[in-house]
Amino acid sequence: MRVNFKPSLDFSLGWEGGYANHPNDPGGHTYRGVTLTTLRRYEPGATVADLKRLSPAMIERIYRDGYWDKAGCDTLAPGVDGAVFDYAVNSGPSAARKSLMAVIGGPHHETVKALCKRRLSIYQTFKHWKTFGKGWTRRVTAGEALWVSWALAASMDAPHVESGLADESAKAGKTAKAQGNGGVATAVSGGGTGGGGKVLVDQGDALAGWLVAGGAVALIAVAALLLWRAHINRSRERAYAFEARRIAEGTA
Protein backbone atom coordinates (compact mmCIF):
# COMPACT_ATOMS: atom_id res chain seq x y z
CA MET A 1 0.00 0.00 0.00
CA ARG A 2 1.23 3.47 -0.87
CA VAL A 3 0.62 4.80 2.66
CA ASN A 4 3.06 2.24 4.07
CA PHE A 5 6.10 3.46 2.17
CA LYS A 6 7.24 5.91 4.85
CA PRO A 7 6.89 3.54 7.85
CA SER A 8 8.55 0.81 5.77
CA LEU A 9 11.41 3.14 4.92
CA ASP A 10 11.75 4.18 8.56
CA PHE A 11 12.07 0.55 9.60
CA SER A 12 14.68 -0.29 6.96
CA LEU A 13 16.75 2.85 7.58
CA GLY A 14 16.70 2.01 11.28
CA TRP A 15 18.88 -1.00 10.44
CA GLU A 16 21.16 0.79 7.99
CA GLY A 17 24.10 2.63 9.49
CA GLY A 18 26.09 5.57 8.16
CA TYR A 19 29.05 5.10 5.86
CA ALA A 20 30.58 1.63 5.64
CA ASN A 21 32.93 -0.30 3.39
CA HIS A 22 33.04 -3.72 5.06
CA PRO A 23 35.49 -6.12 3.37
CA ASN A 24 32.94 -8.95 3.57
CA ASP A 25 30.06 -6.91 2.18
CA PRO A 26 29.79 -7.32 -1.62
CA GLY A 27 28.02 -3.95 -1.76
CA GLY A 28 31.28 -2.10 -1.12
CA HIS A 29 31.04 1.61 -0.30
CA THR A 30 27.64 2.15 1.34
CA TYR A 31 25.84 4.99 3.07
CA ARG A 32 22.44 4.54 4.73
CA GLY A 33 22.09 1.30 2.78
CA VAL A 34 22.75 2.99 -0.58
CA THR A 35 25.79 1.64 -2.40
CA LEU A 36 28.06 3.77 -4.56
CA THR A 37 27.07 1.61 -7.54
CA THR A 38 23.40 2.36 -6.90
CA LEU A 39 24.03 6.10 -6.52
CA ARG A 40 25.84 6.17 -9.85
CA ARG A 41 22.64 5.06 -11.58
CA TYR A 42 21.17 8.38 -10.48
CA GLU A 43 24.34 10.48 -10.51
CA PRO A 44 26.85 9.10 -13.05
CA GLY A 45 30.40 9.64 -11.88
CA ALA A 46 29.43 10.08 -8.21
CA THR A 47 32.30 9.68 -5.76
CA VAL A 48 32.54 8.27 -2.24
CA ALA A 49 32.43 11.86 -1.00
CA ASP A 50 29.16 12.38 -2.87
CA LEU A 51 27.81 9.20 -1.32
CA LYS A 52 28.67 10.36 2.20
CA ARG A 53 26.72 13.60 1.80
CA LEU A 54 23.53 12.13 0.32
CA SER A 55 20.51 14.22 1.29
CA PRO A 56 17.48 12.65 3.01
CA ALA A 57 15.40 13.57 -0.06
CA MET A 58 17.77 11.71 -2.40
CA ILE A 59 17.87 8.70 -0.09
CA GLU A 60 14.07 8.58 -0.09
CA ARG A 61 13.96 8.91 -3.88
CA ILE A 62 16.39 6.02 -4.34
CA TYR A 63 14.51 3.75 -1.95
CA ARG A 64 11.13 4.55 -3.47
CA ASP A 65 12.21 4.30 -7.10
CA GLY A 66 14.77 1.53 -6.79
CA TYR A 67 13.09 -0.75 -4.28
CA TRP A 68 9.50 0.10 -3.32
CA ASP A 69 8.27 0.77 -6.86
CA LYS A 70 10.37 -1.92 -8.55
CA ALA A 71 9.11 -4.54 -6.08
CA GLY A 72 5.52 -3.42 -6.72
CA CYS A 73 4.87 -2.69 -3.07
CA ASP A 74 2.00 -0.27 -3.78
CA THR A 75 -0.01 -3.24 -5.02
CA LEU A 76 0.63 -5.45 -1.98
CA ALA A 77 -1.43 -5.92 1.17
CA PRO A 78 -0.48 -4.18 4.44
CA GLY A 79 2.40 -6.00 6.08
CA VAL A 80 3.30 -7.91 2.94
CA ASP A 81 4.39 -4.59 1.41
CA GLY A 82 6.83 -3.84 4.23
CA ALA A 83 8.22 -7.39 4.25
CA VAL A 84 8.84 -7.36 0.49
CA PHE A 85 10.36 -3.86 0.59
CA ASP A 86 12.91 -4.66 3.31
CA TYR A 87 13.79 -7.91 1.55
CA ALA A 88 14.30 -5.92 -1.67
CA VAL A 89 16.57 -3.45 0.12
CA ASN A 90 18.83 -6.31 1.25
CA SER A 91 18.64 -8.61 -1.76
CA GLY A 92 17.14 -6.70 -4.67
CA PRO A 93 13.53 -6.39 -5.92
CA SER A 94 13.78 -9.45 -8.17
CA ALA A 95 14.85 -11.77 -5.34
CA ALA A 96 12.16 -10.36 -3.05
CA ARG A 97 9.39 -10.85 -5.60
CA LYS A 98 10.61 -14.36 -6.46
CA SER A 99 10.46 -15.39 -2.81
CA LEU A 100 7.05 -13.77 -2.41
CA MET A 101 5.68 -15.77 -5.34
CA ALA A 102 7.04 -18.94 -3.73
CA VAL A 103 5.15 -18.44 -0.46
CA ILE A 104 2.12 -16.25 -1.15
CA GLY A 105 -1.26 -17.60 -0.11
CA GLY A 106 -3.69 -17.65 2.78
CA PRO A 107 -4.11 -14.79 5.26
CA HIS A 108 -1.72 -11.90 4.70
CA HIS A 109 -0.03 -12.29 8.08
CA GLU A 110 0.78 -15.91 7.20
CA THR A 111 2.35 -14.75 3.94
CA VAL A 112 4.52 -12.33 5.93
CA LYS A 113 5.66 -15.11 8.25
CA ALA A 114 6.39 -17.50 5.39
CA LEU A 115 8.33 -14.85 3.48
CA CYS A 116 10.48 -13.95 6.48
CA LYS A 117 11.16 -17.62 7.20
CA ARG A 118 12.21 -18.22 3.60
CA ARG A 119 14.37 -15.09 3.60
CA LEU A 120 16.39 -16.16 6.64
CA SER A 121 16.62 -19.72 5.36
CA ILE A 122 18.14 -18.47 2.10
CA TYR A 123 20.45 -16.05 3.90
CA GLN A 124 21.89 -18.95 5.90
CA THR A 125 23.34 -20.32 2.65
CA PHE A 126 25.32 -17.13 1.96
CA LYS A 127 29.08 -17.26 2.47
CA HIS A 128 28.99 -14.06 4.52
CA TRP A 129 26.29 -15.39 6.89
CA LYS A 130 28.91 -15.84 9.63
CA THR A 131 29.68 -12.14 9.47
CA PHE A 132 26.18 -10.70 9.14
CA GLY A 133 23.87 -13.53 10.26
CA LYS A 134 23.14 -12.26 13.76
CA GLY A 135 22.26 -8.80 12.50
CA TRP A 136 20.08 -10.19 9.70
CA THR A 137 18.27 -12.40 12.21
CA ARG A 138 17.47 -9.48 14.50
CA ARG A 139 16.35 -7.36 11.55
CA VAL A 140 14.10 -9.95 9.92
CA THR A 141 12.49 -11.17 13.15
CA ALA A 142 11.81 -7.61 14.33
CA GLY A 143 10.37 -6.82 10.92
CA GLU A 144 8.23 -9.93 10.86
CA ALA A 145 6.49 -8.98 14.09
CA LEU A 146 5.95 -5.40 12.90
CA TRP A 147 4.62 -6.42 9.48
CA VAL A 148 2.34 -9.08 10.98
CA SER A 149 0.91 -6.34 13.22
CA TRP A 150 0.15 -4.26 10.11
CA ALA A 151 -1.51 -7.22 8.42
CA LEU A 152 -3.66 -7.99 11.46
CA ALA A 153 -4.56 -4.32 11.99
CA ALA A 154 -6.05 -4.18 8.50
CA SER A 155 -8.90 -6.49 9.56
CA MET A 156 -9.25 -6.25 13.36
CA ASP A 157 -9.16 -3.81 16.26
CA ALA A 158 -6.18 -3.14 18.52
CA PRO A 159 -7.12 -5.58 21.34
CA HIS A 160 -7.37 -8.44 18.85
CA VAL A 161 -4.09 -7.42 17.19
CA GLU A 162 -2.42 -7.45 20.59
CA SER A 163 -3.86 -10.87 21.34
CA GLY A 164 -2.73 -12.21 17.97
CA LEU A 165 0.81 -10.94 18.50
CA ALA A 166 0.93 -12.42 22.00
CA ASP A 167 -0.16 -15.77 20.57
CA GLU A 168 2.60 -15.62 17.95
CA SER A 169 5.12 -14.86 20.69
CA ALA A 170 3.98 -17.86 22.71
CA LYS A 171 4.13 -20.16 19.66
CA ALA A 172 7.64 -18.99 18.79
CA GLY A 173 8.78 -19.60 22.35
CA LYS A 174 7.34 -23.11 22.34
CA THR A 175 9.00 -23.90 19.02
CA ALA A 176 12.33 -22.53 20.24
CA LYS A 177 12.20 -24.79 23.28
CA ALA A 178 11.45 -27.87 21.16
CA GLN A 179 14.24 -27.04 18.72
CA GLY A 180 16.72 -26.37 21.50
CA ASN A 181 15.91 -29.68 23.14
CA GLY A 182 16.09 -31.44 19.77
CA GLY A 183 19.48 -29.95 18.99
CA VAL A 184 20.94 -30.97 22.33
CA ALA A 185 19.46 -34.47 22.05
CA THR A 186 20.85 -34.88 18.54
CA ALA A 187 24.32 -33.81 19.61
CA VAL A 188 24.36 -35.96 22.75
CA SER A 189 22.72 -39.13 21.44
CA GLY A 190 24.29 -39.17 18.01
CA GLY A 191 21.06 -38.11 16.37
CA GLY A 192 18.47 -40.74 17.00
CA THR A 193 15.14 -40.54 15.25
CA GLY A 194 13.44 -38.62 18.03
CA GLY A 195 11.90 -35.17 17.93
CA GLY A 196 15.00 -33.35 16.68
CA GLY A 197 14.76 -34.51 13.08
CA LYS A 198 11.03 -33.83 12.89
CA VAL A 199 11.45 -30.28 14.13
CA LEU A 200 14.14 -29.66 11.52
CA VAL A 201 12.07 -30.94 8.61
CA ASP A 202 8.99 -29.07 9.81
CA GLN A 203 10.89 -25.79 9.64
CA GLY A 204 11.31 -26.07 5.85
CA ASP A 205 14.86 -24.74 5.83
CA ALA A 206 16.71 -24.49 2.54
CA LEU A 207 19.50 -26.46 4.23
CA ALA A 208 17.27 -29.24 5.55
CA GLY A 209 17.35 -31.42 2.44
CA TRP A 210 21.09 -31.94 2.20
CA LEU A 211 21.49 -32.17 5.97
CA VAL A 212 18.97 -35.00 6.23
CA ALA A 213 20.39 -36.68 3.13
CA GLY A 214 23.86 -36.57 4.65
CA GLY A 215 22.88 -39.11 7.30
CA ALA A 216 25.27 -39.66 10.17
CA VAL A 217 27.94 -37.45 8.63
CA ALA A 218 25.65 -34.45 9.02
CA LEU A 219 24.53 -35.06 12.62
CA ILE A 220 26.65 -32.27 14.06
CA ALA A 221 25.34 -29.90 11.41
CA VAL A 222 21.77 -31.00 12.17
CA ALA A 223 22.25 -30.26 15.86
CA ALA A 224 23.83 -26.89 15.09
CA LEU A 225 21.01 -25.94 12.74
CA LEU A 226 18.37 -26.93 15.28
CA LEU A 227 20.06 -24.80 17.91
CA TRP A 228 20.32 -21.89 15.48
CA ARG A 229 16.64 -22.22 14.58
CA ALA A 230 15.92 -22.14 18.31
CA HIS A 231 17.86 -18.88 18.49
CA ILE A 232 15.83 -17.45 15.61
CA ASN A 233 12.56 -18.40 17.26
CA ARG A 234 13.63 -16.92 20.58
CA SER A 235 14.31 -13.71 18.65
CA ARG A 236 10.84 -13.98 17.11
CA GLU A 237 9.33 -14.57 20.55
CA ARG A 238 10.89 -11.35 21.86
CA ALA A 239 9.96 -9.35 18.75
CA TYR A 240 6.29 -10.37 18.89
CA ALA A 241 6.15 -9.66 22.62
CA PHE A 242 7.60 -6.20 21.98
CA GLU A 243 5.01 -5.40 19.29
CA ALA A 244 2.21 -6.68 21.52
CA ARG A 245 3.35 -4.33 24.28
CA ARG A 246 3.48 -1.41 21.85
CA ILE A 247 -0.10 -2.08 20.78
CA ALA A 248 -1.21 -2.37 24.41
CA GLU A 249 0.51 0.90 25.32
CA GLY A 250 -0.79 2.70 22.24
CA THR A 251 2.73 3.49 20.97
CA ALA A 252 2.61 1.43 17.76
Side-chain angles (χ1 to χ4, degrees), residues 21-133:
N21 185 24
H22 197 289
N24 292 330
D25 186 347
H29 297 285
T30 306
Y31 177 72
R32 300 292 280 155
V34 177
T35 67
L36 183 59
T37 300
T38 297
L39 177 60
R40 284 174 175 166
R41 296 182 194 138
Y42 296 83
E43 298 179 2
T47 65
V48 172
D50 295 324
L51 179 69
K52 290 180 179 179
R53 54 174 176 258
L54 266 183
S55 68
M58 188 60 176
I59 291 171
E60 182 171 327
R61 176 190 169 192
I62 290 171
Y63 275 102
R64 180 183 286 278
D65 174 65
Y67 301 98
W68 182 269
D69 289 346
K70 285 191 176 179
C73 295
D74 272 352
T75 67
L76 300 176
V80 178
D81 52 5
V84 169
F85 173 70
D86 192 65
Y87 196 155
V89 168
N90 268 173
S91 304
S94 178
R97 291 290 300 196
K98 182 178 179 180
S99 281
L100 175 63
M101 292 301 103
V103 303
I104 195 167
H108 298 316
H109 72 282
E110 292 295 343
T111 295
V112 169
K113 290 163 58 181
L115 181 61
C116 291
K117 179 177 171 181
R118 178 180 171 88
R119 179 180 172 185
L120 275 181
S121 178
I122 290 172
Y123 283 9
Q124 288 178 68
T125 69
F126 293 171
K127 64 182 180 181
H128 42 302
W129 169 260
K130 288 184 178 180
T131 303
F132 302 109

Side-chain angles (χ1 to χ4, degrees), residues 161-227:
V161 173
E162 179 194 350
S163 177
L165 295 172
D167 286 346
E168 293 291 347
S169 178
K171 285 190 290 186
K174 183 177 180 180
T175 301
K177 183 176 180 180
Q179 289 170 328
N181 290 341
V184 171
T186 299
V188 171
S189 69
T193 57
K198 183 177 188 300
V199 173
L200 172 65
V201 174
D202 284 349
Q203 291 313 301
D205 291 294
L207 298 175
W210 69 264
L211 286 175
V212 173
V217 176
L219 288 177
I220 293 176
V222 169
L225 182 57
L226 281 170
L227 292 172

